[in-house]
PDB file of all heavy atoms in Angstrom:
ATOM      1  N   CYS M  47      27.615   2.484  -2.629  1.00 96.00           N
ATOM      2  CA  CYS M  47      28.525   3.636  -2.268  1.00 96.00           C
ATOM      3  C   CYS M  47      28.886   4.381  -3.521  1.00 96.00           C
ATOM      4  O   CYS M  47      29.266   3.761  -4.526  1.00 96.00           O
ATOM      5  CB  CYS M  47      29.825   3.077  -1.626  1.00 96.00           C
ATOM      6  SG  CYS M  47      31.005   4.380  -1.225  1.00 96.00           S
ATOM      7  N   HIS M  49      31.318   5.987  -4.244  1.00 94.00           N
ATOM      8  CA  HIS M  49      32.734   5.928  -4.601  1.00 94.00           C
ATOM      9  C   HIS M  49      32.993   4.810  -5.565  1.00 94.00           C
ATOM     10  O   HIS M  49      33.292   4.943  -6.765  1.00 94.00           O
ATOM     11  CB  HIS M  49      33.607   5.868  -3.368  1.00 94.00           C
ATOM     12  CG  HIS M  49      35.067   5.747  -3.709  1.00 94.00           C
ATOM     13  ND1 HIS M  49      35.942   4.823  -3.144  1.00 94.00           N
ATOM     14  CD2 HIS M  49      35.813   6.500  -4.564  1.00 94.00           C
ATOM     15  CE1 HIS M  49      37.145   4.972  -3.603  1.00 94.00           C
ATOM     16  NE2 HIS M  49      37.143   5.985  -4.466  1.00 94.00           N
ATOM     17  N   MET M  50      32.824   3.568  -5.098  1.00 94.00           N
ATOM     18  CA  MET M  50      33.088   2.463  -5.924  1.00 94.00           C
ATOM     19  C   MET M  50      32.101   1.268  -5.757  1.00 94.00           C
ATOM     20  O   MET M  50      32.413   0.124  -6.033  1.00 94.00           O
ATOM     21  CB  MET M  50      34.523   1.863  -5.858  1.00 94.00           C
ATOM     22  CG  MET M  50      35.533   2.842  -6.492  1.00 94.00           C
ATOM     23  SD  MET M  50      37.251   2.423  -6.290  1.00 94.00           S
ATOM     24  CE  MET M  50      37.310   0.814  -7.110  1.00 94.00           C
ATOM     25  N   GLY M  51      30.929   1.655  -5.276  1.00 92.00           N
ATOM     26  CA  GLY M  51      29.846   0.652  -5.228  1.00 92.00           C
ATOM     27  C   GLY M  51      29.770  -0.305  -4.140  1.00 92.00           C
ATOM     28  O   GLY M  51      28.927  -1.215  -4.129  1.00 92.00           O
ATOM     29  N   PHE M  52      30.563  -0.211  -3.080  1.00 94.00           N
ATOM     30  CA  PHE M  52      30.425  -1.142  -1.939  1.00 94.00           C
ATOM     31  C   PHE M  52      29.047  -1.015  -1.303  1.00 94.00           C
ATOM     32  O   PHE M  52      28.508   0.106  -1.217  1.00 94.00           O
ATOM     33  CB  PHE M  52      31.519  -0.756  -0.929  1.00 94.00           C
ATOM     34  CG  PHE M  52      31.653  -1.730   0.246  1.00 94.00           C
ATOM     35  CD1 PHE M  52      32.472  -2.820   0.123  1.00 94.00           C
ATOM     36  CD2 PHE M  52      30.971  -1.552   1.435  1.00 94.00           C
ATOM     37  CE1 PHE M  52      32.622  -3.764   1.175  1.00 94.00           C
ATOM     38  CE2 PHE M  52      31.105  -2.437   2.460  1.00 94.00           C
ATOM     39  CZ  PHE M  52      31.904  -3.541   2.333  1.00 94.00           C
ATOM     40  N   CYS M  66      31.360   3.869   4.898  1.00 97.00           N
ATOM     41  CA  CYS M  66      31.550   2.755   4.006  1.00 97.00           C
ATOM     42  C   CYS M  66      32.856   1.979   4.480  1.00 97.00           C
ATOM     43  O   CYS M  66      33.894   2.594   4.752  1.00 97.00           O
ATOM     44  CB  CYS M  66      31.768   3.277   2.546  1.00 97.00           C
ATOM     45  SG  CYS M  66      32.091   1.987   1.365  1.00 97.00           S
ATOM     46  N   TRP M  68      34.715   0.050   2.564  1.00 95.00           N
ATOM     47  CA  TRP M  68      35.834  -0.244   1.660  1.00 95.00           C
ATOM     48  C   TRP M  68      36.966   0.777   1.720  1.00 95.00           C
ATOM     49  O   TRP M  68      38.089   0.439   2.003  1.00 95.00           O
ATOM     50  CB  TRP M  68      35.285  -0.367   0.168  1.00 95.00           C
ATOM     51  CG  TRP M  68      36.191  -1.090  -0.753  1.00 95.00           C
ATOM     52  CD1 TRP M  68      37.423  -1.531  -0.476  1.00 95.00           C
ATOM     53  CD2 TRP M  68      35.912  -1.433  -2.122  1.00 95.00           C
ATOM     54  NE1 TRP M  68      37.961  -2.159  -1.604  1.00 95.00           N
ATOM     55  CE2 TRP M  68      37.067  -2.085  -2.609  1.00 95.00           C
ATOM     56  CE3 TRP M  68      34.839  -1.221  -2.992  1.00 95.00           C
ATOM     57  CZ2 TRP M  68      37.150  -2.603  -3.911  1.00 95.00           C
ATOM     58  CZ3 TRP M  68      34.896  -1.671  -4.251  1.00 95.00           C
ATOM     59  CH2 TRP M  68      36.058  -2.371  -4.701  1.00 95.00           C
ATOM     60  N   HIS M  69      36.627   2.015   1.486  1.00 96.00           N
ATOM     61  CA  HIS M  69      37.679   3.064   1.484  1.00 96.00           C
ATOM     62  C   HIS M  69      37.371   4.098   2.615  1.00 96.00           C
ATOM     63  O   HIS M  69      37.984   5.198   2.655  1.00 96.00           O
ATOM     64  CB  HIS M  69      37.861   3.761   0.175  1.00 96.00           C
ATOM     65  CG  HIS M  69      38.063   2.796  -0.950  1.00 96.00           C
ATOM     66  ND1 HIS M  69      37.021   2.390  -1.759  1.00 96.00           N
ATOM     67  CD2 HIS M  69      39.161   2.210  -1.428  1.00 96.00           C
ATOM     68  CE1 HIS M  69      37.481   1.574  -2.652  1.00 96.00           C
ATOM     69  NE2 HIS M  69      38.724   1.374  -2.449  1.00 96.00           N
ATOM     70  N   HIS M  70      36.366   3.754   3.375  1.00 97.00           N
ATOM     71  CA  HIS M  70      36.063   4.586   4.601  1.00 97.00           C
ATOM     72  C   HIS M  70      35.507   5.971   4.252  1.00 97.00           C
ATOM     73  O   HIS M  70      35.761   6.897   5.029  1.00 97.00           O
ATOM     74  CB  HIS M  70      37.237   4.608   5.545  1.00 97.00           C
ATOM     75  CG  HIS M  70      37.772   3.271   5.883  1.00 97.00           C
ATOM     76  ND1 HIS M  70      39.001   2.844   5.480  1.00 97.00           N
ATOM     77  CD2 HIS M  70      37.205   2.187   6.509  1.00 97.00           C
ATOM     78  CE1 HIS M  70      39.181   1.593   5.818  1.00 97.00           C
ATOM     79  NE2 HIS M  70      38.084   1.178   6.505  1.00 97.00           N
ATOM     80  N   ALA M  71      34.813   6.143   3.172  1.00 97.00           N
ATOM     81  CA  ALA M  71      34.090   7.382   2.911  1.00 97.00           C
ATOM     82  C   ALA M  71      33.009   7.541   3.940  1.00 97.00           C
ATOM     83  O   ALA M  71      32.364   6.561   4.280  1.00 97.00           O
ATOM     84  CB  ALA M  71      33.622   7.402   1.498  1.00 97.00           C
TER      85      ALA M  71
HETATM   86  S1  FES X   1      34.504   4.287   0.099  1.00 79.94           S
HETATM   87 FE1  FES X   1      32.809   3.151  -0.445  1.00 79.94          FE
HETATM   88  S2  FES X   1      33.493   1.996  -2.158  1.00 79.94           S
HETATM   89 FE2  FES X   1      35.158   3.230  -1.604  1.00 79.94          FE
END
Side-chain angles (χ1 to χ4, degrees):
C47 175
H49 179 228
M50 284 177 62
F52 187 87
C66 175
W68 198 355
H69 308 94
H70 309 112

